[in-house]
């Protein structure tokens, strides 16, 4: 009955053959939701479960997207790591509550969590933008992990009254990027 997304991330990092598939899934969503629609001053926040995974993704995205400023915001990282870059990789604990990021256009939640307040707080990082641009929130879950499916259904119920629209997309596990990890 217990699920730990941090343990899930650690198993992905430890099981190196699966890591590229997982990172590709995150990266494909980043590209579709943010990179392909990027306009000057747009911001993206990616929630992950562990500081180690945040560091790994940050280092990777600095290499993959050298034209964008990418930083990690965890633990004792300075506030400018949250407010200055185009893409911020952070943990739910570090920036899931009580932070506002100007021009935040995309939030990508890779973490499966059951907490209703935490899920609503993560969604709440987005605000209506003055220029009328769409804001997008996406989360990932695995259909073959029962707890992640339960959390997905819970988020559907939580987000329905708070979002203009909600769609579920299915992705196949395939690796197209040659990742330097």
């Amino acid at each position: 009955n217990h699920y730990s997304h941090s343990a899930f991330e650690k198993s992905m990092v430890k099981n190196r053959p699966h890591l590229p598939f997982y990172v590709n899934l995150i990266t494909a969503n980043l590209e579709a939701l943010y990179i392909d629609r990027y306009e000057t001053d747009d911001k993206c926040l990616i929630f992950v479960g562990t500081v180690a995974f945040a560091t790994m993704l940050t280092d990777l995205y600095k290499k993959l997207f050298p034209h964008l400023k990418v930083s990690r915001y965890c633990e004792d990282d300075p506030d400018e790591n949250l407010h200055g870059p185009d893409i911020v990789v952070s943990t739910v604990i570090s920036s899931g509550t009580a932070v506002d990021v100007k021009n935040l256009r995309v939030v990508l939640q890779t973490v499966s969590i059951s907490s209703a307040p935490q899920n609503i707080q993560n969604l709440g990082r987005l605000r209506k933008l003055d220029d009328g641009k769409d804001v997008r929130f996406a989360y990932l879950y695995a259909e073959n992990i029962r707890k992640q499916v339960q959390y997905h259904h819970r988020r559907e119920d939580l987000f329905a009254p708070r979002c203009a629209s909600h769609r579920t997309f299915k992705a196949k596990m395939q690796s197209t990027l040659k990742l330097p990890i």
Side-chain angles (χ1 to χ4, degrees):
N1 282 339
H2 181 71
Y3 173 81
S4 166
H5 192 82
S6 294
F8 174 79
E9 270 184 17
K10 288 175 186 174
S11 75
M12 283 292 165
V13 171
K14 185 177 178 180
N15 188 353
R16 296 302 266 189
H18 290 144
L19 183 61
F21 295 105
Y22 184 57
V23 172
N24 262 330
L25 182 60
I26 297 167
T27 305
N29 278 277
L30 174 65
E31 289 176 324
L33 296 168
Y34 180 72
I35 302 293
D36 294 348
R37 301 167 186 267
Y38 177 80
E39 294 180 25
T40 303
D41 295 328
D42 285 352
K43 308 289 186 208
C44 175
L45 176 59
I46 303 170
F47 286 118
V48 298
T50 64
V51 173
F53 195 66
T55 302
M56 188 199 74
L57 272 187
T58 300
D59 293 344
L60 173 65
Y61 290 159
K62 285 179 179 180
K63 294 174 188 169
L64 289 178
F65 309 112
H67 62 289
L68 297 173
K69 186 174 180 190
V70 180
S71 74
R72 182 193 85 163
Y73 182 73
C74 300
E75 298 176 329
D76 296 325
D77 290 339
D79 284 348
E80 55 263 18
N81 284 19
L82 177 64
H83 298 288
D86 301 301
I87 300 171
V88 176
V89 184
S90 185
T91 62
V92 171
I93 293 169
S94 298
S95 57
T97 58
V99 297
D100 288 323
V101 178
K102 186 177 179 183
N103 297 320
L104 184 60
R105 187 159 182 212
V106 174
V107 172
L108 179 55
Q109 181 177 331
T110 69
V111 183
S112 279
I113 50 178
S114 64
S115 166
Q118 190 63 66
N119 277 300
I120 292 167
Q121 284 287 334
N122 292 349
L123 176 67
R125 297 306 94 227
L126 291 169
R127 304 282 192 267
K128 185 176 180 178
L129 298 178
D130 293 337
D131 57 14
K133 290 181 188 175
D134 285 343
V135 294
R136 296 174 182 261
F137 181 91
Y139 61 86
L140 307 179
Y141 76 98
E143 281 188 319
N144 62 335
I145 300 174
R146 185 180 39 190
K147 282 294 185 184
Q148 286 196 19
V149 172
Q150 289 173 351
Y151 300 167
H152 160 64
H153 292 303
R154 185 171 189 170
R155 283 184 283 216
E156 285 181 311
D157 294 340
L158 286 170
F159 294 164
R162 294 171 173 85
C163 298
S165 66
H166 180 275
R167 292 179 287 172
T168 301
F169 298 95
K170 292 188 179 189
K172 296 194 186 293
M173 288 292 280
Q174 58 186 1
S175 181
T176 57
L177 290 174
K178 297 290 186 206
L179 299 173
I181 54 176

